[in-house]
Amino acid sequence: MSTAVLPALAPSRRAWATDLPLLLVAAVWGASYLAAKGITTTHTVIAVLVLRFTIVLPALVLAGWRGLRALSAAQWRGAALLGLMLSVIFLLETYGVVHTSATNAGLIISLTMIFTPLAEAAVTRVRPPASFLAAAGLSVVGVVLLTQGGGFTSPSAGDLLMLLAALARTVHVLAMARVKAVQDADSLPLTTVQLGGALVVFAVLAGLPGTGAAPWSVAADFGAREWAGLLFLSVLCTLFAFFVQMWSVRRSSPSRVSLLLGTEPLWAAAAGIAIGGERLGIPGMAGAVLVLAGTAWGRRCADATG
């Protein structure tokens, strides 16, 4: 190999060193729907969320202690408000995945990539380009087909909850961009306060009558498989994913990060079909293709106009 080729290879290797961890994050996020479905029932949703956040929060507090002490009162209030929104997202997603397939959950939640630019356009009163509207329409048709499974039926309650979760994610993204108090805050303490705020909400709900099993009783009943699933959700899908994002944004472009993390629905479908044994049927397969094509097209349109 000639030495003239080596300089050209170095950037490629550096890019792959950044891309591979991001792809792994997208993969574990995609698999998270199947993992959550495997350890959660309707009566244990809140308990599992309490356990999941309790495991990960101490590590974030220790890592970001200085940043937490540096936050102003206004930043604490803004982050706590975002944490309340985050708790709604996790509740909708977790209840949703219990009542639908992991494949549907991962694909429907990807509509956030379409909803967010549409909501941004509505707030700013700037009409999105026709190509983006076409991509949004393609995604909507895809979701309609996806929720039919093997035949034309009403969407399941889980499908509708995941759709609401996608809308809630959109509101959360817009709020993060518009709550002035948090715009200058470091991402680590900001995320820590949000997760802590969400944990408080889950803990309060867990203490109310009729909200399902208590977290400690659920933990006591967990076997090795359930603990493995919970640790996967806590350590890989939350802690590992957050630190990889923090690391990667300093070494790659936002559009490249978005593109790689945007493969999450592909991994969700792969995990649901290959590991979970889920079947889409012909309408569902066509819908999955349209959702993936529409969100990818829409993301490119948004990046081009952003």
Side-chain angles (χ1 to χ4, degrees), residues 110-302:
S110 70
L111 288 177
T112 303
M113 290 182 283
I114 293 294
F115 290 159
T116 301
L118 287 176
E120 183 74 25
V123 170
T124 59
R125 297 183 180 180
V126 176
R127 181 181 176 86
S131 58
F132 182 85
L133 294 177
L138 191 67
S139 298
V140 170
V141 172
V143 167
V144 172
L145 290 173
L146 177 67
T147 58
Q148 303 313 306
F152 288 92
T153 59
S154 299
S156 70
D159 293 332
L160 296 177
L161 286 171
M162 294 308 301
L163 189 61
L164 289 175
L167 291 170
R169 276 196 186 189
T170 298
V171 173
H172 184 256
V173 170
L174 293 181
M176 286 190 69
R178 282 168 171 74
V179 177
K180 294 182 179 180
V182 303
Q183 289 177 1
D184 296 328
D186 184 74
S187 57
L188 177 54
L190 176 61
T191 299
T192 303
V193 175
Q194 287 189 73
L195 294 181
L199 177 57
V200 170
V201 172
F202 301 145
V204 170
L205 291 176
L208 298 177
T211 55
W216 54 86
S217 64
V218 171
D221 290 338
F222 271 2
R225 183 183 67 86
E226 288 79 12
W227 275 109
L230 182 63
L231 290 173
F232 174 80
L233 291 171
S234 297
V235 177
L236 290 181
C237 299
T238 306
L239 191 62
F240 168 76
F242 172 74
F243 281 109
V244 167
Q245 287 183 87
M246 282 189 62
W247 172 80
S248 62
V249 294
R250 294 175 173 86
R251 293 164 174 81
S252 185
S253 66
S255 59
R256 191 172 184 85
V257 171
S258 175
L259 177 64
L260 293 167
L261 294 181
T263 62
E264 176 189 345
L266 286 171
W267 297 106
I273 295 171
I275 302 175
E278 298 174 352
R279 296 292 179 266
L280 290 176
I282 294 177
M285 290 177 65
V289 171
L290 291 180
V291 169
L292 293 172
T295 53
W297 184 15
R299 187 168 58 250
R300 286 197 299 270
C301 294

Side-chain angles (χ1 to χ4, degrees), residues 6-19:
L6 292 177
L9 287 177
S12 177
R13 288 175 179 171
R14 285 197 297 269
W16 272 109
T18 304
D19 291 351

